[in-house]
């Protein structure tokens, strides 16, 4: 059989697939990214790296940037409100880890992030975005991408202006979440603006927002003609969507096996802290089943990995 064709290119890097896992702070850690990559995501992108961590929290930065060779192309996402500091951070990270891509976070709506003028707060400052993209592109020898929202609020949707800036300053792809910062994750994502951007630019455009089911993937692509589809929150409860499977098509045995694999990898990375961090996934994995609140509470308060796995096994024998 002939080798598969790339779905699109980011600069000179072939992207072998149309589905990409969205970076999510506190969720898309190294074990989760590797797991999703094995299920079909075409790129692994780190949680955002607050560039202040490079100087003051180096251990945390390296933990967030850990990746396996099979995950290439690997993208390091940067977050800051200072273009010069971001470019310096990109240079340092490239020298140490050689990621294939750098992604600039212009979309995070978290109040702590926008409070310091970073993430989607930058959508209010096109000139700073222009400088940020230009400096990072000049700092590293690999492609730079950006992830944006529609704008700060409904009355200030400047996604086309920002998208043109991103392209003109040398970025090689752009991802767009179909909500404003003000909406956060409420309401319904608008896909029509993604289509506008795709029509206006010549770099790849990746659509994001409200992709919950396999059918949504094709609907988004047909409506927008986007090059790739980025999936975030829906992947927490259904990582199998990257294998084009809805959650209802996944057997309880597969869910149980994946939970054990993910937990063991998180513990290998972080010790018992890995179990505490795994709790945020537990409820998402078992929500499709009618599990008693007492059982959920016991799982979410368990501090022993083997007892936890025993409880999970007992739970799935009754499903």
């Amino acid at each position: 059989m002939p080798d598969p064709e790339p779905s699109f290119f980011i600069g000179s890097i072939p992207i072998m697939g149309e589905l990409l896992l969205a970076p999510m702070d506190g969720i898309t850690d190294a074990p989760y990214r590797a797991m999703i990559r094995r299920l079909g995501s075409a790129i692994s992108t780190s949680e955002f790296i607050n560039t202040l961590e490079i100087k003051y929290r180096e251990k945390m930065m390296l933990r967030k940037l850990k990746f396996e060779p099979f995950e290439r192309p690997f993208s390091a996402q940067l977050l800051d409100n200072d273009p010069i500091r971001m470019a310096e951070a990109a240079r340092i990270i490239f020298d140490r880890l050689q990621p294939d891509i750098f992604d600039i976070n212009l979309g995070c709506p978290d109040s702590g992030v926008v409070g310091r003028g970073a993430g989607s707060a930058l959508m209010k400052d096109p000139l700073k975005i222009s400088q940020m993209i230009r400096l990072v592109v000049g700092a590293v020898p690999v492609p730079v991408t950006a992830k944006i929202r529609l704008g700060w609020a409904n009355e200030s949707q400047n996604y086309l202006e920002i998208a043109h800036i991103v392209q003109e300053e040398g970025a090689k792809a752009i991802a767009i979440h179909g909500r404003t910062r003000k909406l956060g994750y409420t309401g319904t994502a608008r896909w029509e603006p993604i289509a506008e951007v795709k029509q206006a630019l010549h770099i790849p455009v990746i659509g994001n927002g409200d992709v919950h089911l396999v059918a949504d993937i094709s609907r988004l692509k047909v409506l927008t003609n986007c090059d790739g589809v980025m999936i975030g929150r829906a992947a927490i409860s259904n990582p199998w969507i990257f294998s084009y499977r809805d959650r209802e098509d996944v057997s309880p045995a597969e869910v149980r096996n994946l939970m054990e694999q993910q937990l063991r990898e998180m513990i290998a990375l972080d010790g018992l802290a890995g179990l505490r961090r795994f709790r945020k996934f537990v409820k998402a994995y078992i929500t499709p089943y009618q599990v008693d609140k007492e059982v959920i509470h016991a799982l979410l308060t368990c501090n022993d990995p083997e007892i936890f796995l025993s409880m999970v096994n007992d739970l799935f024998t009754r499903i």
Side-chain angles (χ1 to χ4, degrees):
M1 293 181 62
D3 291 335
E5 291 291 321
S7 296
F8 59 99
F9 286 80
I10 295 180
S12 62
I13 297 174
I15 307 303
M16 307 303 292
E18 64 180 357
L19 303 184
L20 295 79
L21 174 65
M24 294 176 282
D25 188 48
I27 297 293
T28 53
D29 60 11
Y32 186 75
R33 292 194 304 266
M35 180 182 77
I36 297 295
R37 192 59 181 274
R38 288 189 288 264
L39 287 168
S41 179
I43 297 177
S44 289
T45 303
S46 72
E47 301 168 81
F48 69 66
I49 304 301
N50 180 341
T51 58
L52 295 173
E53 292 173 354
I54 294 177
K55 183 174 182 180
Y56 300 108
R57 304 179 74 182
E58 182 184 41
K59 185 176 180 181
M60 175 176 286
M61 178 199 75
L62 293 174
R63 175 187 164 279
K64 286 185 174 183
L65 289 170
K66 176 180 171 61
F67 67 96
E68 301 297 332
F70 79 87
E71 292 182 78
R72 290 190 182 275
F74 176 78
S75 176
Q77 189 184 73
L78 304 178
L79 178 133
D80 205 336
N81 63 337
D82 185 314
I84 294 174
R85 188 166 55 213
M86 183 176 280
E88 291 173 346
R91 190 180 301 111
I92 292 168
I93 290 171
F94 182 80
D95 288 344
R96 294 191 64 169
L97 300 169
Q98 289 81 53
D100 304 283
I101 299 165
F102 281 91
D103 185 59
I104 297 177
N105 185 324
L106 305 175
C108 180
D110 181 79
S111 58
V113 168
V114 299
R116 57 171 285 204
S120 55
L122 287 164
M123 297 288 291
K124 298 189 290 184
D125 196 341
L127 291 177
K128 183 175 282 190
I129 288 177
S130 178
Q131 182 187 19
M132 188 171 282
I133 301 287
R134 183 170 63 252
L135 290 180
V136 176
V137 166
V140 293
V142 295
V144 174
T145 64
K147 188 169 190 291
I148 71 171
R149 285 192 165 229
L150 300 184
W152 179 256
N154 286 339
E155 62 273 15
S156 56
Q157 296 187 48
N158 59 344
Y159 53 89
L160 271 177
E161 176 190 10
I162 299 300
H164 278 293
I165 289 171
V166 167
Q167 176 176 270
E168 290 163 5
E169 294 296 355
K172 300 302 183 184
I174 187 169
I176 309 171
H177 184 108
R179 289 180 173 87
T180 63
R181 186 273 163 178
K182 189 173 182 180
L183 279 177
Y185 296 103
T186 64
T188 302
R190 294 178 58 231
W191 292 351
E192 292 81 3
I194 301 171
E196 290 181 60
V197 173
K198 175 58 184 173
Q199 189 170 21
L201 302 189
H202 60 73
I203 60 174
V205 173
I206 299 159
N208 177 223
D210 285 355
V211 177
H212 302 292
L213 302 171
V214 172
D216 296 329
I217 297 168
S218 57
R219 286 199 308 111
L220 176 57
K221 292 208 71 177
V222 168
L223 178 65
T224 68
N225 197 32
C226 63
D227 300 275
V229 174
M230 184 170 278
I231 304 170
R233 290 172 298 151
I236 300 172
S237 60
N238 182 25
W240 296 272
I241 195 170
F242 292 94
S243 300
Y244 295 91
R245 300 173 67 196
D246 288 325
R247 180 58 194 270
E248 64 186 20
D249 300 320
V250 180
S251 70
E254 290 177 275
V255 177
R256 195 216 71 83
N257 291 340
L258 181 137
M259 289 177 67
E260 179 173 358
Q261 176 189 0
Q262 184 181 354
L263 174 60
R264 292 198 183 282
E265 291 181 1
M266 291 178 73
I267 290 172
L269 179 67
D270 285 329
L272 289 179
L275 173 59
R276 292 192 291 272
R277 291 195 303 106
F278 185 69
R279 291 171 182 167
K280 67 185 69 176
F281 295 95
V282 172
K283 193 170 183 180
Y285 285 140
I286 65 176
T287 290
Y289 314 119
Q290 294 182 339
V291 180
D292 291 340
K293 291 181 179 180
E294 293 78 9
V295 174
I296 296 174
H297 177 76
L299 286 168
L300 295 179
T301 55
C302 179
N303 290 308
D304 184 298
E306 296 308 320
I307 293 176
F308 177 90
L309 287 173
S310 177
M311 293 167 63
V312 168
N313 285 329
D314 289 344
L315 169 62
F316 277 88
T317 59
R318 299 193 298 273
I319 291 175

